[in-house]
Amino acid sequence: MGREQMARGSQACKEGPIAAGTVVQHSPRTPWSFPATRMLSPRTATSGLELQSPEEPAKLQTPARGTRKASSGDAPSSHPSEDARPGLGSLRRAFSRTSQQASGQGPEEDRSLFQRGSRFLFRSLRRSRDDGATTDQSQAAAVPGVARGPEVPSRIVDGGSQRSSTGVGSEKLESETEGKSVADLITERQLLAAFEQLRQLEMRLVAEKASHTFAQDPTGFARRAMDVCLHYDGLAAEIRAIVRETLGPARVDAAALGEVARAVRAEEAAHPAPPADGDFLLAPRRWRQHWEDAVRGSAQERVRAAAAGAPGPEGAAGLARLLAQLGGAVRSDLHRVRQEVQPAYSAAGFPAWEAYLRAFHGAVAQRLQELAQDARGCEQLYVLLDWAANVYGSPDFLGTPDLTLSTEPLPPLLAPAVWARLESDYISFLETKIMSCFDSILQLEQSRWAGAEAPDMLQGLYHTPLSIDVHMLVAEHVKAAGAISAELEATTLRICTRALGLFLPRFEKAFLESKAVSEPHLGANINACEELRTSLLARFPGTFEELEKPLVAATCTFQKRLLQGLQDDVQPLFRVLCTKAWLTHDVLQPLMNKVVTFAHHLEHVAPLRAQETLQEVHRYVVREYLAQVLRPRERFRGEERMTSSQKMGLDAQAIGDTFQGLGSKATWLDQAIPCVADILGETYKDDIQRHLETLIGSYPDIRRDHVLAILALRRLGRRRNQRLLQHAQSLLRAAGKAGGSGGSGAAGGHVLFEEIEVPASVDLLITCI
């Protein structure tokens, strides 16, 4: 060979084994040989320069523009010098650059794979050169093409080495695949056939390495090993492309998915574990992991496209619509996976459902955590929590009973720390919102009071929207929180309890200071408090017990204010009792008419509270009547005293009949006025002691002052008064002891005389003396 040819070969070698943008021409077409442009993009690149078949004479092809010519027919007859051989650093850069282009990856993608591959590759090169140094040079010369220098293009070296070292020509491999190269098979997505052909090339190259064929030509081995690795990378890239296209708008290519499954399983069977000698060529390609990564990437793309953007100014409504779109897209894609994708993989014995399920679960979790970072306000936080717990977490999320999210537990959709933060923020916003809701309820009630609106009637009772508003407020938030978690439900109940406890005194004060205080409104508020007390305790047992006291206190306040209105109305009518006019006129009837009118309002109050109020009115009338008797404005003697006794008996009968007709159950009050009347009108003085015993026995709360006042009205002698007084004191002491052991000084807890004040007078002092 001439110097010009050698120089040309050396110059081509210095440009790098397969420098970027260089199209290398060769005559013998080998199964692993492929045009550089096709190798870089199996799906889109043109075929480049056509390779010649082994039967055709070697001819020089016109190189592509910007490339250097390389001779495929001439070979140097001697080894080049060491200066003409490219260094390992140049080969490493060319290998890394070309591998990135062939796999369609960016410079940063799978960098660790290529670094690890090049490390093992050049380690193999060093071992090959070291072993070749001790091998007889004649062995290398016996194999055509092996002794050629690195200036010979790799395609020519590969073709000669293949024919010489293996004894099997490329024609046989091409006939098995109809003369198609590996790149053609990848382009046509015949992945299993491409892998099988690459596997044969791989095993042939390993055998040649073991036989020290490349002892004198490590660069040739590197070129062929790089060809194999780049084709493997091309296969992996095609697998990723097929996965990315699976859920696209086009129909699912079941044949391509089957090819993916069979190729992945075939690769796992061919490379079950890393070789003991660390040979890079036989290292596992981890296509299943690449497939799973591609599935995850596809799921992330689909989820991000479905839930793109932010809720915007619509707030919770926009977030809810965004999550609805996300759920619909995930549901549709998983249905498609189950109906179209999974059967295609299952036919090749490849499980896909769990992989897609976990991929979409992870993608949804990632997107939801991104949305959680921007969530603001109680409504948005609840929308997120509710969607995660009740929509996505529902067994019916996929819409069909035969599909569930997973047979194995999936990781939490939201990280525990994120979930805890969302709940904490939600609780903080909820406290403020519930207090604001109670403020709104109070404002609504105040507007009704200012408008002088009469309370409504509901089932015959005075009604105010207060109880319904509070019920709806509590029930709505507690139910919503309970749908997320039991802990959040309990927390919401505590928030509602605390807020309602603070609201009641404010409501009570605001109403009593308003101009709407009347029997109907008071009755409506009593009913509202009673409804809240009974229904809240029944619906949420064990939670609202602490509210019973403030509710009862508010009810009692409204009852007292109701009674105060009656007392202010009838108090002047008591002043005409026990007067001269009283003896001859029926002055009690106007008072009882007002009582009856008042009692008609009680018919529209809750029965229990109405009975309590009616009994309190009954007690008030009897107590005020006795107070007028024990503090008379005029003293009666003789016939007038007897007439007053009879008049008192008639009044007691009228009072008793009236309250009995109204439904009062305070029958214990019926004996008070008749007993005093009997003492005043008793003609047989020895029987006065018996009347005193009846009075003290029926009303143990009577005091010594009350007995003195009664005896002063009767005007008995000093001795008889002293005897009766001593007897009464002994009865009072006995009643006090019985009341002390029983816990109450009054029979059954009833109080009557204790609230009647009897001022000291000269008549009382005389009676005592």
Side-chain angles (χ1 to χ4, degrees):
M1 177 179 297
R3 294 178 178 271
E4 183 179 355
Q5 291 178 330
M6 293 182 62
R8 226 177 11 248
S10 299
Q11 181 64 28
C13 185
K14 288 179 181 180
E15 295 295 331
I18 48 172
T22 302
V23 179
V24 181
Q25 305 301 329
H26 58 285
S27 175
R29 182 174 181 180
T30 57
W32 57 79
S33 299
F34 55 96
T37 54
R38 180 182 297 176
M39 174 190 69
L40 298 181
S41 182
R43 296 287 296 164
T44 60
T46 59
S47 61
L49 300 177
E50 294 295 333
L51 302 182
Q52 298 176 3
S53 63
E55 293 80 2
E56 296 175 354
K59 291 188 292 185
L60 291 176
Q61 303 289 336
T62 302
R65 184 177 182 180
T67 63
R68 296 181 182 272
K69 296 181 180 181
S71 175
S72 61
D74 297 332
S77 58
S78 61
H79 298 289
S81 63
E82 286 295 322
D83 295 336
R85 189 184 304 272
L88 294 180
S90 176
L91 186 59
R92 185 193 304 268
R93 287 191 297 273
F95 171 70
S96 176
R97 181 169 58 252
T98 310
S99 299
Q100 293 168 5
Q101 296 172 354
S103 60
Q105 298 167 342
E108 300 296 331
E109 188 174 351
D110 290 343
R111 176 177 293 178
S112 60
L113 174 63
F114 293 117
Q115 290 176 347
R116 184 170 63 251
S118 60
R119 183 170 64 250
F120 283 116
L121 174 61
F122 289 104
R123 186 183 304 164
S124 300
L125 291 176
R126 286 194 293 271
R127 284 201 304 270
S128 176
R129 295 193 61 180
D130 294 341
D131 295 342
T134 60
T135 306
D136 192 350
Q137 299 297 329
S138 60
Q139 179 181 356
V143 182
V146 173
R148 289 185 174 89
E151 69 275 8
V152 180
S154 62
R155 302 290 192 262
I156 302 175
V157 176
D158 294 346
S161 299
Q162 176 184 341
R163 290 191 301 269
S164 302
S165 61
T166 63
V168 180
S170 60
E171 298 83 352
K172 180 178 180 181
L173 290 176
E174 289 185 354
S175 65
E176 292 175 356
T177 57
E178 298 180 358
K180 295 179 181 178
S181 67
V182 176
D184 293 331
L185 294 174
I186 295 175
T187 302
E188 297 174 3
R189 293 190 169 178
Q190 299 182 33
L191 305 185
L192 183 58
F195 171 74
E196 291 175 349
Q197 187 165 329
L198 269 178
R199 175 63 173 164
Q200 294 179 23
L201 301 179
E202 177 186 67
M203 297 307 298
R204 185 176 304 156
L205 190 57
V206 170
E208 291 178 0
K209 174 189 170 185
S211 64
H212 307 292
T213 302
F214 297 98
Q216 299 302 321
D217 188 15
T219 305
F221 171 78
R223 289 172 177 167
R224 291 180 58 185
M226 187 163 50
D227 284 347
V228 173
C229 293
L230 291 180
H231 280 91
Y232 272 130
D233 294 339
L235 266 170
E238 192 65 22
I239 289 174
R240 287 191 292 270
I242 292 174
V243 172
R244 282 196 299 269
E245 298 169 3
T246 298
L247 297 178
R251 291 187 58 185
V252 173
D253 190 348
L257 298 183
E259 284 289 315
V260 168
R262 286 186 287 270
V264 170
R265 295 189 63 186
E267 191 279 329
E268 290 178 337
H271 306 128
D277 59 355
D279 192 344
F280 175 75
L281 285 173
L282 298 178
R285 303 293 168 173
R286 306 188 185 281
W287 284 353
R288 185 182 294 267
Q289 180 178 345
H290 293 328
W291 176 82
E292 292 177 352
D293 293 342
V295 169
R296 282 191 291 270
S298 174
Q300 290 176 356
E301 292 177 2
R302 303 284 297 176
V303 166
R304 192 164 296 278
E314 299 179 6
L319 180 59
R321 183 169 57 256
L322 193 68
L323 291 174
Q325 294 173 357
L326 173 60
V330 171
R331 190 180 301 110
S332 175
D333 284 345
L334 288 178
H335 279 175
R336 193 174 179 189
V337 169
R338 194 58 180 263
Q339 296 171 3
E340 302 180 32
V341 178
Q342 170 66 12
Y345 280 111
S346 298
F350 199 76
W353 171 247
E354 288 293 333
Y356 270 95
L357 191 62
R358 291 185 175 276
F360 273 97
H361 180 77
V364 170
Q366 180 179 352
R367 183 62 180 134
L368 206 62
Q369 294 196 26
E370 293 173 356
L371 293 173
Q373 294 176 358
D374 301 328
R376 297 293 181 270
C378 182
E379 289 78 9
Q380 289 192 26
L381 290 168
Y382 180 78
V383 167
L384 278 174
L385 292 171
D386 178 66
W387 193 87
N390 300 323
V391 179
Y392 184 83
S394 171
D396 302 328
F397 173 70
L398 296 181
T400 55
D402 58 332
L403 292 183
T404 57
L405 276 180
S406 180
T407 56
E408 298 179 0
L410 293 171
L413 188 62
L414 291 173
V418 177
W419 184 273
R421 180 182 65 81
L422 288 178
E423 277 195 344
S424 177
D425 293 346
Y426 173 72
I427 290 170
S428 299
F429 281 111
L430 184 63
E431 290 178 342
T432 304
K433 180 180 179 181
I434 289 179
M435 292 298 297
S436 176
C437 289
F438 277 112
D439 291 341
S440 300
I441 291 175
L442 181 58
Q443 292 174 3
L444 289 175
E445 290 295 318
Q446 287 175 330
S447 65
R448 293 179 63 253
W449 302 334
E453 299 179 11
D456 300 328
M457 297 291 291
L458 181 64
Q459 296 180 351
L461 301 178
Y462 291 130
H463 175 73
T464 174
L466 172 66
S467 60
I468 294 180
D469 292 341
V470 173
H471 270 105
M472 291 181 62
L473 174 64
V474 174
E476 176 184 355
H477 287 91
V478 170
K479 181 180 179 180
I484 296 176
S485 67
E487 294 78 8
L488 191 59
E489 178 183 16
T491 302
T492 304
L493 276 172
R494 289 193 295 270
I495 293 174
C496 292
T497 302
R498 184 166 56 251
L500 182 55
L502 296 174
F503 168 78
L504 287 173
R506 295 171 54 215
F507 173 79
E508 174 186 322
K509 180 181 178 181
F511 173 73
L512 295 179
E513 291 176 354
S514 69
K515 298 180 180 180
V517 177
S518 62
E519 287 84 357
H521 281 101
L522 286 167
N525 290 338
I526 292 173
N527 292 339
C529 291
E530 183 65 12
E531 290 174 7
L532 290 174
R533 187 185 70 85
T534 55
S535 59
L536 287 178
L537 290 177
R539 185 168 183 178
F540 306 105
T543 303
F544 283 92
E545 277 80 0
E546 59 184 272
L547 278 179
E548 186 169 10
K549 289 183 178 180
L551 283 170
V552 170
T555 302
C556 291
T557 299
F558 294 135
Q559 285 178 309
K560 289 179 182 178
R561 186 65 182 83
L562 193 62
L563 288 170
Q564 185 64 43
L566 175 65
Q567 292 171 5
D568 295 341
D569 195 19
V570 300
Q571 187 65 38
L573 300 179
F574 282 105
R575 295 173 184 173
V576 298
L577 296 177
C578 299
T579 60
K580 299 291 185 178
W582 168 65
L583 293 177
T584 57
H585 296 85
D586 186 6
V587 298
L588 184 65
Q589 189 60 39
L591 186 150
M592 298 310 298
N593 290 339
K594 289 183 176 294
V595 170
V596 172
T597 302
F598 175 82
H600 288 163
H601 292 292
L602 297 181
E603 295 176 358
H604 307 297
V605 178
L608 180 61
R609 301 308 172 188
Q611 182 61 221
E612 290 178 353
T613 306
L614 183 61
Q615 291 185 25
E616 190 62 24
V617 173
H618 191 175
R619 188 175 72 90
Y620 166 75
V621 170
V622 173
R623 184 188 67 205
E624 289 301 316
Y625 190 98
L626 290 174
Q628 296 299 324
V629 171
L630 298 181
R631 297 193 305 266
R633 297 179 181 275
E634 299 179 22
R635 296 287 177 175
F636 301 122
R637 291 181 175 84
E639 191 67 25
E640 290 182 343
R641 178 171 54 80
M642 298 298 295
T643 303
S644 66
S645 174
Q646 296 174 0
K647 184 68 172 178
M648 288 176 62
L650 295 175
D651 289 346
Q653 184 67 35
I655 292 173
D657 292 343
T658 299
F659 280 102
Q660 183 178 1
L662 295 175
S664 174
K665 297 180 180 179
T667 56
W668 61 279
L669 295 168
D670 294 343
Q671 296 297 321
I673 298 175
C675 283
V676 176
D678 290 341
I679 292 174
L680 295 179
E682 181 61 57
T683 57
Y684 186 63
K685 296 181 180 180
D686 292 339
D687 289 342
I688 294 178
Q689 180 174 336
R690 179 170 56 83
H691 296 315
L692 276 175
E693 292 175 354
T694 302
L695 183 63
I696 295 173
S698 299
Y699 305 98
D701 65 322
I702 194 171
R703 298 192 304 270
R704 180 174 179 272
D705 295 343
H706 299 121
V707 177
L708 287 175
I710 294 173
L711 293 178
L713 294 176
R714 185 65 178 81
R715 293 183 179 276
L716 298 172
R718 180 177 63 85
R719 292 182 179 179
R720 188 178 295 277
N721 283 340
Q722 289 180 349
R723 186 170 63 251
L724 292 175
L725 186 59
Q726 291 175 355
H727 184 65
Q729 287 178 338
S730 63
L731 293 175
L732 291 174
R733 286 193 295 270
K737 292 180 180 180
S741 60
S744 176
H750 299 148
V751 176
L752 179 62
F753 284 93
E754 185 177 339
E755 297 177 353
I756 300 175
E757 295 182 1
V758 181
S761 63
V762 176
D763 292 335
L764 291 180
L765 292 175
I766 294 175
T767 301
C768 293
I769 295 173

